[in-house]
Amino acid sequence: MNLVWNARRAGILVATCAFVVAAGCATPALPRPDEGELLAAGFKVLVAVNRMQEDWVRSLPPGQIRPMQRNDKKYFVYPDAPKKQIYVGGPQQYEAYQQLLPEKQRGAQEAVSAARQAANRASYNKQDDAMRKATARDLSDPWLGVGWADLGW
């Protein structure tokens, strides 16, 4: 029994790793933002002054602008961990930065966004099919296989 269970867990682990690798290879890499372009677009530089801020800067995904929301305001943050600083801008600065990007880079960003939306849609459809099958099964057998003997009669 343990051997079968361990083989099943190993199979699931291998399948999960293969999926993660395939998902990582399927999305095109975004070009790293240029700090000069960020400054030209109006982003501000905030330098980490204590250990907690430095740890937070290092925890951000490197090489990409990340949207954040704080106190009902939307911000866009780009970390520069080696210099212990972040570039922060609002929606207007981010839009100005988008206008500075060449068409090729904007196309890559749109392709990544489309790939993410397609992956989300596929996941939703998979869940929807599973629910449809479960509902059909439940409707065909409302007692879900439970008989009077199972109820103690």
Side-chain angles (χ1 to χ4, degrees):
M1 178 71 177
N2 263 347
L3 183 60
V4 172
W5 179 249
N6 288 338
R8 183 175 290 165
R9 285 196 317 192
I12 291 171
L13 180 63
V14 169
T16 303
C17 290
F19 175 74
V20 169
V21 168
C25 295
T27 58
L30 284 177
R32 294 180 68 98
D34 180 27
E35 286 87 358
E37 290 176 347
L38 291 172
L39 291 173
F43 278 69
K44 304 291 183 213
V45 177
L46 297 177
V47 179
V49 293
N50 61 35
R51 182 79 172 164
M52 187 168 42
Q53 291 173 347
E54 290 174 9
D55 291 341
W56 184 76
V57 170
R58 279 194 299 270
S59 72
L60 293 173
Q64 56 181 290
I65 297 175
R66 178 180 181 206
M68 301 185 82
Q69 190 162 347
R70 176 133 175 124
N71 297 332
D72 295 330
K73 290 187 177 184
K74 191 165 190 169
Y75 297 100
F76 294 89
V77 178
Y78 176 73
D80 188 358
K83 295 180 184 175
K84 300 178 184 173
Q85 63 188 15
I86 58 172
Y87 295 84
V88 181
Q92 294 166 338
Q93 288 80 19
Y94 185 70
E95 184 65 33
Y97 172 72
Q98 292 291 331
Q99 297 301 320
L100 292 175
L101 290 178
E103 286 296 320
K104 185 172 110 178
Q105 289 180 342
R106 267 189 272 174
Q109 285 184 333
E110 290 170 3
V112 168
S113 177
R116 285 184 185 145
Q117 287 177 352
N120 289 341
R121 176 63 58 195
S123 173
Y124 173 79
N125 288 338
K126 181 179 177 184
Q127 290 174 352
D128 196 35
D129 289 341
M131 285 301 295
R132 215 175 285 119
K133 289 176 185 175
T135 302
R137 183 196 66 227
D138 293 348
L139 291 176
S140 67
D141 186 8
W143 292 98
L144 299 175
V146 176
W148 287 108
D150 297 323
L151 298 174
W153 288 90

